[in-house]
C-alpha cells in the first residue's frame, strides 16, 4: 500500500502527539469557557478556570458532559459559534421525542472529512475505488460523513443511501463497486438477498466493507467476510463528537485506532466516573480537541470498551480501543436507528385504548434486526369489533413510526398477558443472538 501524506498524523511520535493534544485542549477549553454558559458555570462550581489545564492529566478535573445536557439545552444551547458561522446541522434521536442537534463550522466539516479520508485510507481505499455509500443520507451523520470522506480521498462515491436492496445489488454489480459502507446488519441482509438473486458477491470486484453505527461481533465479521469475499472494517463514531470517523480498524483487525489528534479518549467506571487504566473495560469518554461549533468536553458516550495497551503491528502510533459490544444505557440500535424504550412508551401514551403495558421483542431475520412491540389493550377495546382493533393497531404503528423514524410490527394482546415485574419492568426482550 502506498503511503498517503494525509495519513501522517496516524504515525506521529507519541510525545509530539501529546504536545499537540495539550495545546488543542487548552484552546478548546478556553473557547467553551468563553462561549458555552453551561460549561462555564460547571467549571466555576469546581473553582476551575482554563488556566488550570496545564497538562493532559488535568483533563480528569474537568466536568463530564452527558446526553441530557444536549437535550436540556435543545436545540442550540451548547453551540460555541454564531449561526452565521455554522454551515451544517445534524441530529440524532434522544430519549424523548426531541432529537439532539449537533453543529459544524466549515473547519469542523473539514476536520470530519479529513478523519473520514484517513479512515478510508486505513482500510486500504484510494483514488480509483468505487464506493457504494449505503449509509442513510439526511440528519443521520453516516451518509454525508462517508460521502465527504470518499470524495476527499479522490474515490468515486455512489450516494445510493440505505434501502432498496435489489437496486443496491444491481448497482454493485453493474458499476463495478469495490467498497461499500453501511451498517453490518444491512450488509448481511444484502448478502442474503444477493444469494436469492443468484448473484455471487465473491465474483464481483467488491473487496472492502466499512461497517459501523451499531454493535457487531467477530462472528458476524467472519460470516460477512466469507460470504462476500471482502475484508470487513469496523468504523466507530457518534453524532455528538462528529459522526463516523472517530475510530477505525486497520487491516490487523485488532481494535480500532482512535484519531487522537482530534478526539481525546478516556475510559471511566460507568457508575463512579473514576478514570480506569488501559486494558480495563469501562465507559468511553471523549473530548473533541478541534471542534469549534460544538466543543464536547469529557462526553460520556455510554459505549463500553477498553483502551488496548501497546502499539499495533501496523505501526500507527494512535491508540486502539476494543470494538464496542454494548452500551451502559438502554439505547437500542435497530438497523442503525437509535431507539429508546422510553420513546415507545411516550408514543403509546398518545394512543387511546392502550394500557401502559408493552414489551419490545427484538429478533433477527435474514440478518436484519426486527422489532415487535406487543401492547396490551384496555378490556373495553379488546371486546370491540375486529375492525376497531385493526384501526388501533394501525394508529399505534403510525405513532411509533412518527417518533422512532422506523416501521415496527405491532401486536395487540389481551389485558394482563405481558409479564409484570416486581422491580423495574423488563421492556426489552432481545432474541437477536438466538436468531
Ligand atoms: O452511528 C455515527 C456512525 C455512522 C458511525 C456510520 C459509524 C458509521 P449516532 O447515530 O449518533 O452516530 O450513534 C452513535 O452508535 O454511541 C454507539 O453506541 C453506536 N455505534 C456507532 N458505531 C459503532 C460501532 C453514528 N462501530 C452510537 N460499533 C454510538 C458499535 C457503534 N456501536
Amino acid at each position: 500500500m502506498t503511503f498517503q501524506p494525509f495519513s501522517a498524523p496516524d504515525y506521529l511520535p507519541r510525545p509530539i502527539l501529546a504536545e499537540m493534544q495539550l495545546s488543542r485542549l487548552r484552546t478548546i477549553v478556553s473557547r467553551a469557557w468563553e462561549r458555552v454558559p453551561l460549561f462555564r458555570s460547571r467549571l466555576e462550581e469546581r473553582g476551575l478556570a482554563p488556566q488550570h489545564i496545564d497538562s493532559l492529566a488535568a483533563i480528569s478535573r474537568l466536568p463530564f458532559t452527558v446526553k441530557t445536557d444536549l437535550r436540556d439545552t435543545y436545540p442550540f444551547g451548547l453551540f460555541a459559534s454564531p449561526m452565521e458561522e455554522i454551515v451544517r446541522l445534524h441530529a440524532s434521536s434522544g430519549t424523548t421525542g426531541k432529537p439532539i442537534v449537533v453543529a459544524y463550522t466549515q473547519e469542523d466539516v473539514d476536520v470530519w472529512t479529513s478523519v473520514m479520508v484517513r479512515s478510508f485510507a486505513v482500510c486500504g481505499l484510494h483514488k480509483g475505488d468505487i464506493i457504494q455509500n449505503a449509509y442513510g443520507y439526511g440528519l443521520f451523520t453516516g451518509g454525508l460523513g462517508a460521502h465527504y470522506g470518499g470524495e476527499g480521498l479522490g474515490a468515486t462515491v455512489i450516494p445510493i443511501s440505505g434501502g432498496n436492496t435489489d437496486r443496491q445489488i444491481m448497482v454493485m454489480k453493474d458499476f463495478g463497486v469495490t467498497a461499500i459502507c453501511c451498517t453490518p446488519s444491512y450488509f448481511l441482509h444484502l448478502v442474503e438477498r444477493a444469494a436469492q438473486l443468484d448473484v455471487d458477491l465473491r465474483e464481483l470486484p467488491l473487496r472492502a466493507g466499512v461497517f459501523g453505527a451499531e454493535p457487531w461481533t467477530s462472528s458476524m465479521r467472519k460470516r460477512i467476510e466469507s460470504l462476500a469475499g471482502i475484508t470487513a472494517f469496523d468504523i466507530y463514531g457518534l453524532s455528538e463528537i462528529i459522526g463516523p470517523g472517530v475510530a477505525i480498524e486497520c487491516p490487523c483487525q485488532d481494535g480500532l485506532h482512535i484519531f487522537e489528534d482530534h478526539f481525546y479518549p478516556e475510559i471511566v467506571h460507568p457508575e463512579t466516573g473514576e478514570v480506569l487504566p488501559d486494558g480495563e473495560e469501562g465507559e468511553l469518554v471523549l473530548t473533541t480537541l478541534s471542534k469549534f461549533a460544538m466543543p464536547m468536553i469529557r462526553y460520556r458516550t455510554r459505549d463500553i470498551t477498553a483502551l488496548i495497551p501497546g502499539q499495533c503491528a501496523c505501526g500507527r502510533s494512535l491508540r486502539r480501543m476494543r470494538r464496542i459490544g454494548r452500551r451502559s444505557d438502554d439505547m437500542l440500535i435497530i438497523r442503525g436507528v437509535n431507539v429508546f424504550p422510553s420513546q415507545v412508551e411516550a408514543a403509546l401514551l398518545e394512543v387511546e385504548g392502550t394500557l401502559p403495558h408493552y414489551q419490545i421483542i427484538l429478533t433477527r431475520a435474514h440478518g436484519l434486526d426486527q422489532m415487535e412491540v406487543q401492547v396490551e389493550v384496555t378490556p373495553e377495546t379488546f371486546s370491540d369489533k375486529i375492525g376497531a382493533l385493526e384501526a388501533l393497531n394501525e394508529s399505534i404503528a403510525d405513532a411509533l413510526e412518527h417518533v422512532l423514524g422506523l416501521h415496527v410490527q405491532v401486536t395487540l394482546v389481551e389485558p394482563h398477558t405481558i409479564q409484570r415485574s416486581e422491580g423495574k419492568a423488563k421492556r426489552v426482550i432481545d432474541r437477536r443472538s438466538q436468531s
Side-chain angles (χ1 to χ4, degrees):
M1 203 188 306
T2 49
F3 180 77
Q4 316 266 23
F6 48 71
S7 295
D10 298 4
Y11 299 87
L12 278 179
R14 296 293 310 180
I16 294 178
L17 177 64
E19 234 173 78
M20 180 193 269
Q21 287 177 314
L22 178 58
S23 128
R24 288 184 172 175
L25 177 67
R26 296 174 82 149
T27 308
I28 218 72
V29 167
S30 301
R31 183 177 177 90
W33 160 272
E34 281 158 20
R35 297 170 179 236
V36 184
L38 179 76
F39 181 69
R40 188 184 189 122
S41 63
R42 284 197 179 154
L43 239 60
E44 282 172 349
E45 276 164 24
R46 286 169 174 73
L48 287 173
Q51 61 269 24
H52 292 117
I53 302 303
D54 50 6
S55 69
L56 278 175
I59 198 170
S60 65
R61 298 178 65 191
L62 293 172
F64 291 121
T65 308
V66 293
K67 208 177 191 111
T68 46
D69 292 333
L70 283 107
R71 198 177 66 198
D72 296 345
T73 55
Y74 173 87
F76 305 149
L78 295 185
F79 291 7
S81 299
M83 198 52 85
E84 52 276 23
E85 284 169 24
I86 288 170
V87 299
R88 180 98 63 80
L89 299 174
H90 279 279
S92 110
S93 308
T95 43
T96 63
K98 298 277 188 202
I100 55 142
V101 183
V102 297
Y104 306 76
T105 63
Q106 185 56 54
E107 292 88 343
D108 297 336
V109 171
D110 293 345
V111 166
W112 189 13
T113 299
S114 81
V115 288
M116 281 307 295
V117 166
R118 285 162 66 189
S119 299
F120 284 141
V122 171
C123 303
L125 305 189
H126 45 70
K127 229 177 156 75
D129 268 313
I130 303 176
I131 303 176
Q132 181 161 345
N133 186 14
Y135 282 124
Y137 280 65
L139 289 179
F140 176 54
T141 52
L144 284 180
H147 184 100
Y148 276 66
E151 284 189 358
L153 185 70
T156 308
V157 179
I158 306 170
I160 192 160
S161 196
N164 201 339
T165 311
D166 288 6
R167 192 177 56 157
Q168 299 268 0
I169 294 164
M170 180 193 76
V171 164
M172 182 178 282
K173 205 166 128 217
D174 295 351
F175 295 9
V177 166
T178 57
I180 183 159
C181 304
C182 58
T183 58
S185 59
Y186 186 65
F187 187 71
L188 211 51
H189 174 64
L190 195 147
V191 170
E192 285 169 4
R193 180 70 188 142
Q196 287 170 355
L197 297 173
D198 264 337
V199 176
D200 187 350
L201 298 184
R202 287 167 301 192
E203 286 170 6
L204 302 184
L206 190 72
R207 64 167 210 283
V210 186
F211 303 122
E214 64 185 4
W216 53 308
T217 57
S218 39
S219 53
M220 190 148 157
R221 186 220 299 278
K222 279 194 203 107
R223 203 158 162 218
I224 285 176
E225 291 191 334
S226 70
L227 289 173
I230 62 169
T231 309
F233 296 92
D234 194 355
I235 184 164
Y236 170 79
L238 60 164
S239 321
E240 297 89 317
I241 295 301
I242 204 150
V246 171
I248 184 77
E249 236 175 10
C250 71
C252 299
Q253 293 184 327
D254 187 17
L256 286 79
H257 290 277
I258 302 167
F259 291 110
E260 289 176 278
D261 44 333
H262 294 294
F263 316 110
Y264 187 85
E266 296 168 274
I267 300 291
V268 305
H269 189 286
E271 267 114 54
T272 64
E274 173 207 354
V275 179
L276 300 175
D278 283 6
E280 260 184 55
E281 190 179 86
E283 180 182 339
L284 178 67
V285 170
L286 290 166
T287 296
T288 58
L289 295 175
S290 52
K291 208 150 56 117
F292 285 117
M294 201 168 156
M296 276 289 131
I297 307 226
R298 302 198 84 208
Y299 184 70
R300 304 275 305 245
T301 65
R302 299 286 168 198
D303 291 322
I304 302 295
T305 182
L307 290 173
I308 303 175
Q311 217 195 332
C312 183
C314 74
R316 286 180 183 82
S317 54
L318 299 173
R319 277 195 292 177
R320 292 163 296 156
M321 63 177 207
R322 268 195 232 134
R323 71 190 316 159
I324 309 279
R326 64 188 176 93
R327 293 178 53 82
S328 68
D329 60 14
D330 63 351
M331 187 172 92
L332 306 167
I333 302 178
I334 315 293
R335 287 175 248 143
V337 178
N338 301 348
V339 173
F340 289 87
S342 51
Q343 287 178 301
V344 172
E345 200 163 338
L348 292 178
L349 285 172
E350 299 292 308
V351 183
E352 232 169 85
T354 63
L355 292 167
H357 296 297
Y358 68 96
Q359 205 151 43
I360 298 170
I361 295 157
L362 302 174
T363 49
R364 188 167 281 148
H366 311 295
L368 269 191
D369 289 345
Q370 310 291 329
M371 177 169 155
E372 180 195 356
V373 180
Q374 294 187 345
V375 190
E376 279 188 16
V377 295
T378 56
E380 300 76 41
T381 322
F382 201 72
S383 56
D384 267 354
K385 293 198 187 68
I386 292 283
L389 288 176
E390 274 172 5
L392 178 62
N393 193 314
E394 214 170 287
S395 50
I396 295 174
D398 286 349
L400 288 173
E401 186 159 6
H402 180 71
V403 172
L404 308 177
L406 191 76
H407 186 74
V408 301
Q409 189 199 328
V410 175
T411 310
L412 300 181
V413 297
E414 281 185 60
H416 303 292
T417 38
I418 292 173
Q419 208 186 349
R420 306 291 193 262
S421 158
E422 302 220 321
K424 283 178 190 293
K426 187 166 169 47
R427 296 298 192 197
V428 182
I429 299 180
D430 196 342
R431 298 198 184 115
R432 284 179 293 183
S433 57
Q434 302 159 20
S435 7

